[in-house]
Amino acid sequence: MCPNSEEAMKKEQNTEQEFRDVMKECRDVFASKLHDYGASWRILRPSSLTDQLFIKAKRIRSLEQKGVSKVGEGIRPEFIALINYGLVGLVQLQNGFVDEVDMSPEEALKLYDKHADEALELMLKKNHDYDEAWRAMRVSSYTDFILTKIQRIKEIEDLEGATLVSEGIDSNYMDIVNYAVFGAIRLRE
């Protein structure tokens, strides 16, 4: 194996561990909220979930531009929220929304873990192809890309899913999760 291949493998392994660490942090927050509120998010219709993602991403962009938070929470917790709501979005796409909570915390965590594992697998594939390019990007670019993905989701919702050539909502949720993980990693460094 050539030295560059070894270096690339080390970076990818480091990225995988950093991703797993952030996802564990997110899962802990998610599990705590499940304890406190149950799976109350099950009642969210797709448009409401999209709006929740939107306000989180807009807050990040606002804080990036203003440099000051008046409510005390910074940017990183909003990236954590985007990750969790993105995974909730994937659960909702799979199961639909309901009028009353129909899922135990244990069931919710199982589905959360399934989609988190899928996000990790996607990140590893893309990270291989893009060769760790995310590390050289500005954190503010992740925010802009997330906002773009949210806008795409809104358009797909307005089209009732009848796209011609575009990826579906699920792909956009996955990308939101992965960009938010990158933001959380970078803001921890």
Side-chain angles (χ1 to χ4, degrees), residues 67-185:
V68 175
S69 169
K70 291 196 173 187
V71 290
E73 287 187 354
I75 293 171
R76 194 168 185 282
E78 298 295 358
F79 277 125
I80 300 299
L82 283 168
I83 294 163
N84 283 341
Y85 278 114
L87 293 171
V88 162
L90 291 164
V91 171
Q92 292 294 79
L93 278 178
Q94 176 184 326
N95 295 347
F97 66 92
V98 295
D99 290 329
E100 294 182 29
V101 176
D102 64 345
M103 189 178 290
S104 71
E106 294 76 24
E107 292 168 313
L109 280 170
K110 186 175 179 182
L111 290 169
Y112 180 97
D113 290 341
K114 172 187 176 277
H115 293 295
D117 289 344
E118 291 169 355
L120 170 63
E121 289 304 313
L122 177 64
M123 182 281 298
L124 290 171
K125 289 175 186 175
K126 286 188 173 186
N127 199 43
H128 173 271
D129 290 356
Y130 288 94
D131 198 26
E132 297 275 323
W134 67 273
R135 291 191 184 272
M137 293 169 56
R138 296 171 185 94
V139 173
S140 60
S141 293
Y142 308 142
T143 307
D144 291 349
F145 292 157
I146 289 167
L147 283 164
T148 300
K149 296 292 180 177
I150 293 166
Q151 185 60 43
R152 290 177 181 178
I153 291 169
K154 287 180 177 185
E155 295 292 333
I156 294 169
E157 288 171 348
D158 290 348
L159 291 170
E160 297 178 357
T163 60
L164 299 176
V165 296
S166 303
E167 298 174 317
I169 292 173
D170 58 338
S171 295
N172 286 287
Y173 282 149
M174 280 289 197
D175 288 343
I176 289 168
V177 168
N178 284 333
Y179 284 127
V181 170
F182 293 156
I185 289 170

Side-chain angles (χ1 to χ4, degrees), residues 14-96:
N14 189 40
T15 296
E16 181 176 351
Q17 188 56 55
E18 289 173 309
F19 191 99
R20 288 181 185 280
D21 291 347
V22 167
M23 292 307 287
K24 182 187 179 322
E25 180 183 351
C26 293
R27 188 185 193 279
D28 290 346
V29 169
F30 188 76
S32 294
K33 290 193 178 215
L34 277 172
H35 174 271
D36 293 349
Y37 308 127
S40 58
W41 45 265
R42 288 285 294 128
I43 66 169
L44 287 173
R45 291 176 287 178
S47 57
S48 297
L49 185 55
T50 302
D51 286 343
Q52 183 65 20
L53 287 163
F54 176 73
I55 64 170
K56 295 295 182 186
K58 282 296 280 188
R59 182 164 189 273
I60 292 171
R61 189 166 173 161
S62 173
L63 292 175
E64 287 170 345
Q65 291 174 318
K66 294 174 186 168
V68 175
S69 169
K70 291 196 173 187
V71 290
E73 287 187 354
I75 293 171
R76 194 168 185 282
E78 298 295 358
F79 277 125
I80 300 299
L82 283 168
I83 294 163
N84 283 341
Y85 278 114
L87 293 171
V88 162
L90 291 164
V91 171
Q92 292 294 79
L93 278 178
Q94 176 184 326
N95 295 347

